[in-house]
Amino acid sequence: MKINIRLLFTALSLFSSIAYAQTTLKGTVIDENDEPLTGANVILSPTKGTTTDFDGNYSITNIIEGSYTVKVSFLGFKSQSKTIKISGQDTITVNFSLTESNQQLQAVEITGRLKKSYKNDVSFAATKTATAIKDIPQAVSYVTKEVFADQQAYTINDIVKNISGVSQFSYYDDFVLRGFRSGDFYINGLRVLDLFGPNQLLANFERVEVVKGPASATFGNASPGGIMNRVTKKPLTEDRKAINFTLGSFNTLRTTADFTGPINEKKTLLYRLNLAYENSDSFRNLQEFKSYMIAPSISFLPSDKTSVNFDLVISNYDGKLDRGQPIFGATAGTDLNSTPISFAIGQTNDFQKTDVVYSTLSLNHQFSDKLSFNTSYIKSLIEEDLQEHVTSNQFAIDGNGDPIPTLMGLNFSQRQKKTTADNITSYFVYKNNTKNLDHKIVVGFDYNQEKQPIGKAQSRAQGYLLQGGGTSSKLSELDNFLRDEDGNPIPNVPHFDLENPTYRIARTSDYIISDRTRNASKYYTYGFYIQDQINWNKFQFLLGGRQEYYVDIVDYEQLDEKTTTQNKFLPRLGIVYSATKDINVYGTYTESFEPQRASNINNPLAGGPFDPESAFMIETGAKGEFFNNRLAANIAVYYIQNNNILIDANNVENPDLLRQRGQEESKGFELDINGRILPNFSLTANYAYNETIISESDVVEEIGRQKENAPKHQGGFFGKYTFNRGQLDGIGLSLGTNFVSERNTFEETLKLPSYTIMDAGVSYNIDKFNIRFLIKNFFDKTHWVGGYRYTRLFPGAPRNYLLSVGYTF
């Protein structure tokens, strides 16, 4: 028995010595300039791995004896491998110095971005080829998913404050770019249906980028202020998984998940799956919101010459359409605080339900080192079911027809519709050298169509009751309006009392409702284009032209079908000069063209005919990279002239009436900064000065006036500093602010005041957990992000907080 105990003790001692004879591998990864590389992948074959910290350090523990290969990789650098032998050491140190890779960028964005930074290096949308932002002769601003995470941003409206020259016009997907309103919607450089009402979720986006100024030579008809492009997350060649849970003010509950990696050992089949869910209220009365999103993506890389990607995004939005805050009318003054910012018009049984599907298929094939083919197709579908009580944009009237500034006129609407859109772009890229010139020639064809099939229907109740039955909104029929006991006209839909609001389940059966059917319609454009990017010594030239055709059909496939056809040639010229290794200067000339829709042209009540909208821009600027390319800074100076702008005439007697302004001019300068100053200090900052005035108009009083919702000054910054040593190791502090100067509205006497708001937060990283706490609008500043008239303003949120917990594995 004693022998057995001795043998057991000896065996345990031997096992213990082997178990504890394990080694720690550590080291540092730097670049050619001895700067640490943060987030580099360090793999110890076959199964162990880690990433470097802010100082470029890594550590892998519990390594048993044997021979191993250590491989280090980092996007934009050549991978490096070293063989090591572990034979009983406590610690072994292996350092790496990586050199930048000259590997050619993928031709289209099929596999995802590995970098984790506020800085983005490449845009595919601006030139239809993978081009360094520094080499694009036009301002391109962006916000990356790393900024989304640190600002706890969930929708597009949460992040536009990070982009110079871009501000909200309303709560919808509705923005002002360099002074011009734009609701155009692009995903991965392809136009899709705009989403009216719900604000698009960010969970499946890699970044949001804005190509500033007219971009019609690339995208066809487009706003003169620019286009906003959403770039979806693509599959990665490495495994990454993350989940995040958020709670906050206004009963906010959110969760997101992001899974990606290879499906097979050869890494020729990659996947990504993004999920999101939200259930929240609002600081606004009656507003509640539920949404979910499912977004799978698959990339197939059968060879080094061919790559295919498929994206699917399924979203559902269930809430109410927030039409903004009404305030007392002009006769009571212009006090924005006459009603609280929480004040919303509507009734309890209002709703808006929207289903959205986007599906994208992309292919890239490399025939040779010189010739490649690219094609992308996106299908989008939106179904909407809406019931709402909405302002009539007019105050109630008394028996004399004078407005009552504390009673708001209401309309009631029901709407069901389904809209589909298809967009395909196909182009060849040919690279060639002629003496001292390097050419990258793009020749392609785009086709985009939008269909509204038979079935769209809308019912509406509005106006005042007439003595002989029926309703009317025309003041010319005032004497025929049915009166109450006080002699005031009786509305079809009860007025909304701004002093004593009442929210109820509206008895819509009491209204006189008129049905309005909409026949099917179809709108399509197609264009042929050619572009040459030329490199010569320190110069780069971009020469392009596009011939675009626009076909608009109303009463589609009906006996009285009407077709409107327009066409336009659109040039693009640009030059870039490499002033130093780090700084490029550029100049550009571009044009835009937006045809008037046939529904306006052929509407006899609209007041046409109307000329198409056209614009041109001259821009110059500089783009630089600093702190060993960790930080990007761009500055732009521009002038835009826009002609034939069609706007609502705001005519009470004829709500369909439109009018056309002759000309608007926009000029200003912008600054964007993104990236890292220190390895543990990230920063995004922007400033824009913009003067957009109405230079020609049939309304003399408008001339020289700053355009609606176009601030002269706006900007801000957001920075995050993370402690990476000592007792505060892993703690991050963030601080941000943004400001917007005074803005005009459509009411000459109503202005939106300037504001500055601040956000502050703290975060903590421990192992694979990340905890973030952020207070938005820290000083509880009352402000308005946009507005139309007294009847419809859009206040910003008061002080609120968000707390999130994330885990990566």
Side-chain angles (χ1 to χ4, degrees):
M1 186 69 179
K2 290 181 179 179
I3 294 175
N4 290 338
I5 291 173
R6 255 181 218 165
L7 287 173
L8 179 60
F9 181 78
T10 302
L12 288 172
S13 299
L14 180 61
F15 176 80
S16 177
S17 65
I18 293 173
Y20 285 96
Q22 294 182 340
T23 300
T24 295
L25 171 66
K26 68 177 185 178
T28 302
V29 181
I30 59 175
D31 63 14
E32 297 166 287
N33 300 309
D34 296 330
E35 290 289 333
L37 294 177
T38 302
N41 295 298
V42 183
I43 304 298
L44 181 70
S45 61
T47 58
K48 287 182 176 288
T50 187
T51 58
T52 55
D53 63 18
F54 286 105
D55 292 324
N57 298 319
Y58 72 91
S59 177
I60 302 175
T61 59
N62 300 328
I63 308 171
I64 61 175
E65 292 186 357
S67 296
Y68 298 91
T69 299
V70 186
K71 183 179 180 180
V72 176
S73 62
F74 191 73
L75 186 68
F77 290 80
K78 295 179 181 178
S79 298
Q80 193 176 121
S81 298
K82 293 183 180 181
T83 301
I84 63 171
K85 188 172 183 179
I86 304 295
S87 56
Q89 308 98 314
D90 289 334
T91 303
I92 183 171
T93 301
V94 180
N95 298 322
F96 292 84
S97 178
L98 303 188
T99 57
E100 287 195 48
S101 171
N102 292 322
Q103 182 179 1
Q104 199 172 40
L105 292 164
Q106 62 191 74
V108 292
E109 197 160 18
I110 285 179
T111 53
R113 167 181 171 266
L114 284 165
K115 238 177 183 179
K116 298 178 180 179
S117 170
Y118 288 7
K119 177 174 177 280
N120 178 50
D121 298 317
V122 176
S123 174
F124 293 78
T127 61
K128 287 191 177 285
T129 63
T131 304
I133 290 176
K134 187 179 173 183
D135 296 333
I136 297 171
Q138 195 165 349
V140 179
S141 301
Y142 55 83
V143 188
T144 66
K145 67 180 186 298
E146 287 72 29
V147 179
F148 303 169
D150 287 340
Q151 294 184 351
Q152 300 208 47
Y154 200 69
T155 66
I156 293 290
N157 278 346
D158 293 333
I159 55 94
V160 294
K161 62 187 178 184
N162 300 290
I163 304 173
S164 66
V166 179
S167 58
Q168 290 179 241
F169 202 100
S170 66
Y171 288 151
Y172 320 132
D173 201 18
D174 179 16
F175 305 102
V176 179
L177 285 69
R178 288 188 169 176
F180 298 104
R181 190 177 185 182
S182 173
D184 294 338
F185 206 117
Y186 295 82
I187 293 181
N188 299 323
L190 297 170
R191 187 194 302 270
V192 296
L193 295 168
D194 59 316
L195 187 59
F196 181 74
N199 207 238
Q200 193 170 32
L201 307 182
L202 291 170
N204 68 316
F205 290 150
E206 176 67 35
R207 65 185 179 275
V208 173
E209 59 186 12
V210 176
V211 181
K212 304 287 189 63
S216 290
T218 306
F219 298 100
N221 55 313
S223 166
I227 67 103
M228 185 180 293
N229 182 43
R230 289 85 163 166
V231 180
T232 57
K233 293 177 180 176
K234 302 296 189 300
L236 301 177
T237 55
E238 63 179 42
D239 280 308
R240 288 186 186 176
K241 298 178 180 66
I243 56 175
N244 191 82
F245 300 93
T246 302
L247 57 85
S249 302
F250 320 127
N251 297 320
T252 296
L253 295 172
R254 299 171 180 166
T255 183
T256 60
D258 185 357
F259 308 115
T260 186
I263 295 176
N264 58 358
E265 290 185 5
K266 293 183 178 180
K267 297 186 177 181
T268 57
L269 192 62
L270 314 174
Y271 85 97
R272 193 152 194 167
L273 176 63
N274 283 277
L275 305 170
Y277 173 77
E278 177 182 19
N279 188 333
S280 66
D281 295 332
S282 170
F283 72 98
R284 307 269 299 135
N285 295 339
L286 284 188
Q287 302 305 312
E288 54 193 29
F289 195 65
K290 293 180 182 178
S291 64
Y292 67 79
M293 183 196 67
I294 304 170
S297 179
I298 297 289
S299 289
F300 180 45
L301 313 171
S303 71
D304 59 353
K305 294 184 179 296
T306 304
S307 52
V308 181
N309 178 257
F310 174 75
D311 286 339
L312 178 65
V313 181
I314 301 172
S315 301
N316 176 271
Y317 302 88
D318 187 353
K320 291 181 172 66
L321 183 55
D322 190 345
R323 294 286 193 168
Q325 169 202 6
I327 62 172
F328 293 176
T331 57
T334 56
D335 183 8
L336 290 168
N337 298 301
S338 58
T339 62
I341 61 172
S342 60
F343 194 53
I345 276 185
Q347 297 300 345
T348 304
N349 52 334
D350 289 350
F351 61 83
Q352 183 188 34
K353 298 179 181 180
T354 309
D355 289 304
V356 184
V357 178
Y358 303 114
S359 178
T360 309
L361 182 64
S362 301
L363 166 70
N364 168 246
H365 180 72
Q366 196 81 26
F367 293 101
S368 66
D369 292 339
K370 293 185 176 182
L371 182 64
S372 65
F373 174 71
N374 307 275
T375 186
S376 294
Y377 167 73
I378 189 167
K379 177 85 172 182
S380 55
L381 180 149
I382 294 180
E383 290 188 79
E384 180 192 48
D385 187 5
L386 170 74
Q387 175 175 297
E388 65 170 339
H389 288 78
V390 59
T391 170
S392 64
N393 288 326
Q394 302 292 332
F395 288 92
I397 57 173
D398 60 20
N400 298 318
D402 297 323
I404 305 173
T406 59
L407 284 182
M408 178 66 63
L410 282 190
N411 292 339
F412 170 73
S413 293
Q414 291 176 307
R415 181 172 70 229
Q416 290 187 344
K417 70 173 183 177
K418 176 179 179 179
T419 310
T420 64
D422 303 87
N423 192 324
I424 185 168
T425 180
S426 299
Y427 56 94
F428 289 92
V429 179
Y430 179 70
K431 300 175 183 177
N432 193 24
N433 307 96
T434 57
K435 294 186 178 180
N436 296 325
L437 302 180
D438 295 329
H439 295 267
K440 186 192 289 186
I441 301 172
V442 177
V443 179
F445 170 78
D446 289 342
Y447 178 83
N448 175 51
Q449 76 169 17
E450 180 180 317
K451 274 186 177 181
Q452 193 167 273
I454 291 176
K456 176 181 178 180
Q458 182 168 343
S459 298
R460 177 172 288 182
Q462 59 186 348
Y464 289 90
L465 301 179
L466 295 174
Q467 295 179 24
T471 65
S472 175
S473 299
K474 297 180 178 180
L475 288 179
S476 58
E477 298 189 46
L478 178 63
D479 292 340
N480 196 30
F481 286 173
L482 198 63
R483 308 297 178 108
D484 62 18
E485 57 186 13
D486 296 322
N488 294 324
I490 300 175
N492 185 10
V493 180
H495 294 316
F496 199 88
D497 192 333
L498 303 184
E499 293 180 306
N500 300 291
T502 301
Y503 297 102
R504 58 191 175 85
I505 297 177
R507 294 176 56 183
T508 58
S509 59
D510 293 342
Y511 306 157
I512 297 177
I513 296 176
S514 60
D515 293 326
R516 190 186 223 178
T517 59
R518 294 285 182 92
N519 289 331
S521 63
K522 181 179 179 180
Y523 173 71
Y524 64 94
T525 71
Y526 58 95
F528 304 88
Y529 56 89
I530 184 169
Q531 173 185 283
D532 192 4
Q533 292 172 267
I534 306 168
N535 284 354
W536 174 64
N537 294 329
K538 292 186 176 183
F539 290 91
Q540 299 177 63
F541 302 93
L542 190 152
L543 309 175
R546 179 188 191 96
Q547 181 62 51
E548 187 79 359
Y549 298 88
Y550 311 85
V551 182
D552 199 351
I553 306 171
V554 294
D555 299 327
Y556 181 54
E557 295 183 336
Q558 305 296 310
L559 293 176
D560 56 349
E561 178 180 288
K562 298 181 183 67
T563 300
T564 302
T565 302
Q566 302 168 74
N567 62 82
K568 177 74 172 178
F569 177 76
L570 299 157
R572 184 184 189 186
L573 306 172
I575 183 172
V576 178
Y577 174 70
S578 298
T580 70
K581 175 179 175 295
D582 298 317
I583 298 175
N584 287 353
V585 295
Y586 71 91
T588 193
Y589 173 86
T590 61
E591 293 185 4
S592 72
F593 181 79
E594 289 192 274
Q596 307 297 353
R597 296 300 300 263
S599 55
N600 292 327
I601 293 174
N602 295 314
N603 181 1
L605 298 177
F610 303 110
D611 295 324
E613 188 173 328
S614 62
F616 73 86
M617 179 186 74
I618 301 171
E619 177 181 306
T620 185
K623 303 181 181 185
E625 294 183 333
F626 309 96
F627 299 98
N628 292 309
N629 297 328
R630 291 198 305 260
L631 187 78
N634 307 319
I635 188 167
V637 181
Y638 60 87
Y639 171 80
I640 303 172
Q641 184 186 102
N642 191 29
N643 300 283
N644 305 321
I645 304 92
L646 199 61
I647 63 172
D648 186 351
N650 197 31
N651 186 289
V652 178
E653 297 290 320
N654 179 11
D656 291 328
L657 187 64
L658 303 171
R659 66 184 180 90
Q660 200 158 32
R661 284 177 180 163
Q663 189 179 94
E664 298 170 345
E665 295 179 348
S666 171
K667 56 187 176 183
F669 66 89
E670 300 165 340
L671 173 67
D672 288 278
I673 299 173
N674 296 283
R676 290 192 180 102
I677 295 177
L678 300 172
N680 59 337
F681 180 35
S682 295
L683 175 71
T684 176
N686 70 91
Y687 170 74
Y689 169 80
N690 173 270
E691 186 179 10
T692 304
I693 63 168
I694 302 165
S695 49
E696 294 181 9
S697 175
D698 54 350
V699 179
V700 177
E701 293 78 12
E702 284 186 337
I703 298 176
R705 188 168 182 254
Q706 183 85 356
K707 271 201 65 173
E708 305 82 17
N709 274 309
K712 280 192 175 183
H713 303 273
Q714 67 181 104
F717 74 88
F718 182 87
K720 181 180 180 182
Y721 181 86
T722 303
F723 296 94
N724 55 9
R725 57 175 59 89
Q727 294 184 347
L728 298 179
D729 184 27
I731 293 179
L733 301 177
S734 59
L735 183 68
T737 184
N738 72 287
F739 63 89
V740 176
S741 64
E742 185 181 70
R743 289 146 293 155
N744 291 328
T745 68
F746 291 107
E747 301 275 4
E748 186 176 352
T749 58
L750 179 62
K751 296 182 183 294
L752 302 179
S754 62
Y755 65 85
T756 300
I757 59 174
M758 190 183 82
D759 302 336
V762 61
S763 63
Y764 181 50
N765 285 320
I766 178 171
D767 194 15
K768 295 182 179 181
F769 282 95
N770 183 286
I771 303 172
R772 293 184 176 95
F773 179 73
L774 183 68
I775 299 177
K776 296 188 172 185
N777 194 0
F778 190 89
F779 293 108
D780 201 21
K781 173 72 173 179
T782 299
H783 63 291
W784 287 264
V785 297
Y788 299 169
R789 297 181 172 88
Y790 296 102
T791 57
R792 198 175 295 183
L793 301 174
F794 300 95
R799 180 169 51 230
N800 63 96
Y801 78 91
L802 291 170
L803 174 66
S804 71
V805 178
Y807 180 71
T808 58
F809 54 98

